[in-house]
Amino acid sequence: MAIVLHVNGVERRVDAPPDEPLLNVLRDWLELRGAKYGCGEGHCGACTVLIDGMAVRSCQTRAGLVAGKRIRTIEDLSRGDRLHPVQQAFLDEEAFQCGYCTPAMIMAAVALVGERTTPSRAEIVKGMQRNICRCGTYPRIVAAVERAVAAGTSDAGRGARDDD
Ligand code: FES
Ligand code: FES
């Protein structure tokens, strides 16, 4: 039986078992490979995507349970050559080393600034601390989120296509 998922503003029909992890469906069925497999157990956050604007661990989310919800992945953030303010801030602050954690960090940050338009530094640290960066670029990541907040983040993680 097909699952109908609303991904990045488009309805996608997928012939995947409903209990398949959303991460696998995104990567293997829909070829959206920005979200990464890290631990597969909900600890590292490498698989973070947005569901109805909230940061969610897609390795722990059964695809069938999010049918009808708005799923947003890193692939939906930029508009042509224009990066999302959070992406631009990560670039400006060079807030990555190997880059493996970066898509998930950015999605977590988009969710954070969606919940709190002007988070304090302490709120940023707290909001991002569930995402692990093995390269230890945390100070730059925090600086990037602060930069994005200062620049303004108009679409603020509220779901696909809200900034169109
Ligand atoms: S891969 Fe999902 S939390 Fe680590
Ligand atoms: S930049 Fe390498 S894991 Fe974060």
Side-chain angles (χ1 to χ4, degrees):
M1 196 175 75
I3 311 168
V4 179
L5 297 176
H6 191 267
V7 183
N8 297 339
V10 178
E11 217 170 72
R12 305 290 301 265
R13 183 171 289 271
V14 186
D15 281 319
D19 61 350
E20 190 69 24
L22 176 61
L23 177 63
N24 296 356
V25 172
L26 292 171
R27 290 180 57 85
D28 299 339
W29 272 265
L30 299 179
E31 299 186 350
L32 295 168
R33 301 208 168 97
K36 300 288 187 287
Y37 182 92
C39 63
E41 296 181 349
H43 302 306
C44 72
C47 60
T48 302
V49 299
L50 303 188
I51 296 180
D52 289 342
M54 305 268 296
V56 169
R57 296 180 176 218
S58 60
C59 73
Q60 298 297 296
T61 304
R62 304 292 159 205
L65 294 179
V66 292
K69 301 193 180 206
R70 291 175 307 156
I71 301 163
R72 193 178 195 192
T73 71
I74 186 94
E75 287 85 355
D76 188 51
L77 290 193
S78 64
R79 293 290 176 266
D81 290 341
R82 184 168 59 93
L83 293 178
H84 184 283
V86 175
Q87 290 176 302
Q88 187 62 55
F90 269 66
L91 203 55
D92 292 343
E93 292 292 338
E94 299 182 2
F96 43 80
Q97 207 170 101
C98 76
Y100 198 81
C101 71
T102 309
M105 287 287 182
I106 288 174
M107 296 313 281
V110 169
L112 177 67
V113 297
E115 287 167 15
R116 298 173 178 274
T117 45
T118 53
S120 65
R121 185 180 178 83
E123 287 171 332
I124 291 170
V125 170
K126 188 170 176 212
M128 300 296 294
Q129 69 184 2
R130 292 185 67 235
N131 280 61
I132 292 172
C133 173
R134 288 178 186 275
C135 299
T137 56
Y138 298 111
R140 290 185 183 194
I141 289 168
V142 171
V145 180
E146 286 183 308
R147 180 188 278 261
V149 169
T153 52
S154 61
D155 78 345
R158 292 196 175 82
R161 311 289 169 188
D162 285 355
D163 61 334
D164 285 342

